[in-house]
């Protein structure tokens, strides 16, 4: 099934972040943090897909508290979460909005939290009672680079926070759940001294929600803007923008200096 977003608000909607409810019911998908030619859109949009593949759109009354884009979306239990982003007026947003289904309006805002550091272009994923918010682009300065290695961990069961670090500070991290582990892969590395060149990361930082420990692995090719999926106990990473594929050591930040923008 292919569902085309109708021109809500009299304009085309783009750059929306989506999250899929884990529990059965409608709508199944929520889109938020969208942009339009007229600016950022504060409304969320619901999508229901029927048994025949028909698409039903809900221009819901539920609002995110801070209109913004370039954040992340994820689901846990009977909730969907939208976090971080940029409000296009010079501020990085640390807000986390939590939504549930509602029999009257379709979707309702039930809770708002704050990330320890507001940022955009972050990755998020959930496993069990834990949601992680990984990497991203924070205000620079005071951050030493245009990216962060911060991974903020929200423990739903007691509403507490802990932190671990990525091996390489980066934005556009792709996060995915595999069993009780959360994989935080790839992304873009900004301009860092001493060479002041940008590139992509091949690092995969893996957080174990049972032990609270991190381990690392490597993608076969450093990249950003790639697809991730899991099935049969395996995680898959496909496509993306990559560094020069002739490089031998893809784990070294200094070797990420010749990105081929069109390479997939």
């Amino acid at each position: 099934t292919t569902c085309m977003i109708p021109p809500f608000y009299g304009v085309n909607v783009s750059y929306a972040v989506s999250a899929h409810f884990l529990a059965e019911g409608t709508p199944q998908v929520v889109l938020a943090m969208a942009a339009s030619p007229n600016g950022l859109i504060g409304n969320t949009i619901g999508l229901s897909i029927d048994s025949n593949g028909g698409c039903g759109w809900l221009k819901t009354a539920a609002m995110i508290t801070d209109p913004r884009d370039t954040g992340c979306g994820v689901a846990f239990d009977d909730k969907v979460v939208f976090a971080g982003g940029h409000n296009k007026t010079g501020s990085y947003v640390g807000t986390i909005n939590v939504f549930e289904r509602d029999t009257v309006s379709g979707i309702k805002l039930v809770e708002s939290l704050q990330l320890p550091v507001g940022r955009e272009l972050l990755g998020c994923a959930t496993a069990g009672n834990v949601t992680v918010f990984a990497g991203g682009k924070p205000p620079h300065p005071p951050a030493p680079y245009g990216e962060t290695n911060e991974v903020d961990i929200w423990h739903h069961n007691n509403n507490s926070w802990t932190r671990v670090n990525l091996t390489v500070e980066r934005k556009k991290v792709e996060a995915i759940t595999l069993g009780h582990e959360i994989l935080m892969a790839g992304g873009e590395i900004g301009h860092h001294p001493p060479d002041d060149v940008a590139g992509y990361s091949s690092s995969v930082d893996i957080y174990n929600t049972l032990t609270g420990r991190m381990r690392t692995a490597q993608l076969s090719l450093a990249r950003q803007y790639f697809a991730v999926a899991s099935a049969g106990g395996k995680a898959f990473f496909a496509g993306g923008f990559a560094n020069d594929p002739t490089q031998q050591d893809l784990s070294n930040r200094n070797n990420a200096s010749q990105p081929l923008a069109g390479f997939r």
Side-chain angles (χ1 to χ4, degrees):
T1 296
T2 299
C3 298
M4 303 295 293
I5 303 176
F8 289 128
Y9 322 105
V11 294
N12 290 323
V13 174
S14 60
Y15 298 111
V17 174
S18 65
H20 191 290
F21 280 108
L22 301 180
E24 292 185 1
T26 58
Q28 291 104 329
V29 181
V30 181
L31 288 80
M33 296 191 283
S36 79
N38 296 335
L40 299 175
I41 296 173
N43 284 73
T44 58
I45 302 169
L47 169 62
S48 300
I49 303 174
D50 63 31
S51 58
N52 297 318
C55 305
W57 292 96
L58 171 67
K59 180 181 173 181
T60 176
M63 303 281 290
I64 56 175
T65 53
D66 305 86
R68 59 200 191 268
D69 62 4
T70 60
C72 67
V74 69
F76 72 92
D77 296 338
D78 59 349
K79 300 174 174 63
V80 294
V81 175
F82 296 97
H86 195 279
N87 66 10
K88 302 308 179 189
T89 62
S91 296
Y92 294 90
V93 178
T95 304
I96 303 170
N97 292 137
V98 184
F99 294 88
E100 292 179 352
R101 292 189 180 102
D102 181 69
T103 55
V104 176
S105 61
I107 305 164
K108 64 180 179 181
L109 177 66
V110 295
E111 186 177 12
S112 292
L113 308 163
Q114 288 293 319
L115 289 167
V117 176
R119 54 199 190 267
E120 64 172 336
L121 303 171
L122 65 165
C124 56
T126 290
N129 290 319
V130 166
T131 297
V132 304
F133 305 93
K137 181 180 179 182
H140 170 57
Y145 305 119
E147 301 80 36
T148 181
N149 65 354
E150 185 164 341
V151 180
D152 296 309
I153 305 168
W154 177 27
H155 303 266
H156 317 143
N157 56 338
N158 56 17
N159 205 29
S160 65
W161 291 84
T162 55
R163 173 181 168 172
V164 295
N165 292 328
L166 300 171
T167 51
V168 177
E169 57 279 334
R170 56 197 192 269
K171 58 194 172 192
K172 305 173 188 174
V173 176
E174 300 292 348
I176 188 171
T177 301
L178 193 64
H180 59 267
E181 292 186 316
I182 297 175
L183 286 63
M184 297 159 279
E188 181 182 357
I189 304 168
H191 295 265
H192 292 209
D195 47 7
D196 196 37
V197 294
Y200 308 134
S201 173
S202 61
S203 296
V204 182
D205 296 285
I206 305 171
Y207 177 73
N208 187 312
T209 62
L210 300 182
T211 66
R213 296 179 179 177
M214 294 275 280
R215 61 187 179 92
T216 60
Q218 294 289 322
L219 297 172
S220 60
L221 192 66
R223 67 191 84 174
Q224 66 167 350
Y225 291 138
F226 53 97
V228 295
S230 63
K234 297 180 179 180
F236 300 87
F237 309 91
F241 292 112
N243 293 312
D244 185 340
T246 63
Q247 293 175 155
Q248 298 301 309
D249 182 6
L250 298 174
S251 63
N252 188 327
R253 176 193 303 156
N254 295 328
N255 282 338
S257 60
Q258 296 179 339
L260 297 178
F263 180 79
R264 292 185 179 273

